[in-house]
Amino acid sequence: MPRLSRTDALLIGLTLFFKVALLALGAIAYGPFAGGTIKDPVDLLAIWNRWDAWHYLDVAVYGYMAHDPGITPTYSLTGDLDLFIVFYPLYPWLVGAVNWLVHEPVVSGFAVTGVASLFVAPFLYRLVRVDEGHAVALRSAWFLLIFPTAFFLHIPYTEALFLALALGSFLAARTGRWWLAGALGGLAALTRVNGLVLIPALAAEAATQWFERPSEERRLRADWLAIGLVPVGFAVYLGVNFLVYGDPLAFLRIQDEHWFKSLAPPWEGFGVALQWFEIGNPDERLMYGGMELAFTALGLLAVVHAAFRFRASWFAWMIGNWILFVSTAFIVSVPRYSLTLFPLFVSLALLTRRAWLLGLLTVFSIAGLGWLAVRFATGAWAF
C-alpha cells in the first residue's frame, strides 16, 4: 500500500476521536441510566462487553468445545460454551493471541478491534476515490464513521475486522493485486459468513476490468484464480466444525436450535418483524419491528441505487449481503449488519453535495449514533 497520506491521517484521527468520544459518552451515561459505577479503566471498557461480545471473548479464552464441561465461563451463561461454534473463528483467535500476552480478555478484544478500526475509513476512502474522486470518497468515509451503528467499529465485535478485510480485498482487486484480494477475502470469510459474498463480487470486478479494456487487449489473467482463496477461509471454518463436533455443518443445527436463525424466504422474517407491532411493548415495537424494517428498507434503496450507479462488483456485494440479511426466519440486527454495505455510504455522499444536506444528515446520523451507543452501553438492546 502507498504510504500514509494526509487524508489517511485525517481519517485515522477522526476514527480515534469517535472512539474516545463514544467511550466517554458510555461512561457518562452508565451511572445515571444503568445505576452502575466505573472504578477502573477496565470497567470503562467492560460496559461495552455485551451480547455477542461475551461469546467472542469466551471463545478467545476457552476455544470451541463440543461438550460444556460445566465450568463457569468468564462472561457467558454456564452451560453455553458448547454453542459458540456459530461465531466465526478469526476474530476470537486474534483476541486469544493478544490475551496470551495481556491476560485481560476485554482489553484484548478492544485491542484487536481498535487496530482493525484504523484501516476501515482509509480503505473505504481509497476505494471510492478511484471512481468517484476525493470529495465523494471523503464524505463516504465520514458517513461510515457517523453511521448510527458505527459504535460497533470500536467494541469487541467483528465489524471493524470484517470491514477492514472486505474493503482491503475490494481495494486490492480494484488496483490489480488479485492474490492480495483473494487472501484478504479468505480471511473475511473466516470472520463472517457474508465474506463468501466476495466470491461473486470479485468475479464481477474481474469481468468489469475485462470489458473496460479494448477488445484487442482482453485476455484471461491467471491471478484471477486468487478469487478461489475466498472459499478457503470458509473451508477452514467448516474444518473447525468437523474437528470439534465431527460434523462440518454443526453450526447450522446450533444456530437454528439456540439462536432461532435459519434460512427462510424473506417474507417470513418480514412477517415476524411486523408481529412485534402487535405483541411487543413500545420499546420492542421500535427496536425489533420499526428499526429492523427501516434499515432493511434503507439497504434495499441502496441496493437499487447501486444497480444503476456503481460498479458491478459493488452491486454484487450489496445484493448478496442484503439477501443474506433478510433470508432468515427471524430478522434481527440489520442496523448493525448494514455497516457492511459500504456503497450505501457512497450513495449518501453523492446525495449530500449541497452543504445544507450534508449538515442535516450529519446531525441526524450523529444523534442516532449517540442514542444507540448510550442504549448499548447501559444494557438496552441496540442490535
Side-chain angles (χ1 to χ4, degrees), residues 347-370:
S347 296
L348 295 176
L350 292 170
L351 177 67
T352 54
R353 294 183 187 275
R354 295 183 180 274
W356 69 270
L357 269 177
L358 174 61
L360 181 64
L361 194 53
T362 292
V363 170
F364 181 78
S365 189
I366 289 179
L369 173 59

Side-chain angles (χ1 to χ4, degrees), residues 72-129:
T72 301
T74 305
Y75 301 110
S76 305
L77 297 175
T78 300
D80 281 359
L81 287 175
D82 57 337
L83 306 177
F84 296 158
I85 192 64
V86 300
F87 300 99
Y88 281 54
L90 182 59
Y91 179 75
W93 284 349
L94 293 175
V95 174
V98 176
N99 192 55
W100 183 76
L101 298 173
V102 305
H103 306 293
E104 177 49 68
V106 172
V107 174
S108 302
F110 270 90
V112 172
T113 296
V115 171
S117 69
L118 300 180
F119 290 89
V120 173
F123 278 2
L124 178 60
Y125 166 79
R126 292 185 180 199
L127 176 63
V128 177
R129 184 184 60 184

Side-chain angles (χ1 to χ4, degrees), residues 114-343:
V115 171
S117 69
L118 300 180
F119 290 89
V120 173
F123 278 2
L124 178 60
Y125 166 79
R126 292 185 180 199
L127 176 63
V128 177
R129 184 184 60 184
V130 175
D131 293 301
E132 303 292 342
H134 167 76
V136 172
L138 191 59
R139 290 200 301 275
S140 300
W142 171 249
F143 281 120
L144 167 62
L145 291 174
I146 65 171
F147 195 64
T149 53
F151 62 92
F152 284 103
L153 296 174
H154 308 289
I155 63 177
Y157 272 68
T158 59
E159 268 63 29
L161 177 62
F162 180 74
L163 261 176
L165 292 169
L167 288 169
S169 181
F170 268 99
L171 180 60
R174 184 69 181 88
T175 52
R177 292 166 293 177
W178 285 94
W179 289 108
L180 177 59
L184 293 175
L187 292 174
L190 192 56
T191 306
R192 295 260 289 266
V193 65
N194 46 330
L196 290 174
V197 182
L198 283 166
I199 299 173
L202 294 179
E205 180 59 36
T208 298
Q209 293 184 17
W210 164 278
F211 286 110
E212 285 177 341
R213 290 179 173 274
S215 57
E216 64 274 10
E217 296 181 13
R218 293 173 187 168
R219 65 184 187 278
L220 294 177
R221 294 182 52 169
D223 53 2
W224 286 342
L225 294 173
I227 298 171
L229 294 176
V230 177
V232 171
F234 185 68
V236 171
Y237 173 60
L238 297 181
V240 173
N241 276 259
F242 180 77
L243 289 174
V244 175
Y245 293 88
D247 177 6
L249 301 179
F251 70 100
L252 292 175
R253 172 182 55 81
I254 294 172
Q255 189 166 267
D256 183 24
E257 293 176 355
H258 297 277
W259 270 269
F260 312 107
K261 295 280 286 182
S262 59
L263 289 175
W267 50 86
E268 284 193 25
F270 295 150
V272 171
L274 289 171
Q275 285 180 5
W276 284 107
F277 293 104
E278 300 177 6
I279 65 175
N281 60 43
D283 192 69
E284 290 171 338
R285 289 197 292 269
L286 173 63
M287 303 304 290
Y288 294 110
M291 297 293 283
E292 296 290 346
L293 291 173
F295 278 83
T296 298
L298 177 64
L300 181 58
L301 288 174
V303 167
V304 173
H305 186 238
F308 293 98
R309 179 60 175 77
F310 299 135
R311 297 177 74 81
S313 56
W314 293 17
F315 171 68
W317 179 252
M318 291 289 286
I319 190 64
N321 275 280
W322 190 86
I323 289 173
L324 273 179
F325 300 165
V326 302
S327 297
T328 175
F330 178 36
I331 291 178
V332 66
S333 298
V334 172
R336 169 163 63 93
Y337 298 156
S338 297
L339 275 172
T340 65
L341 302 178
F342 71 86

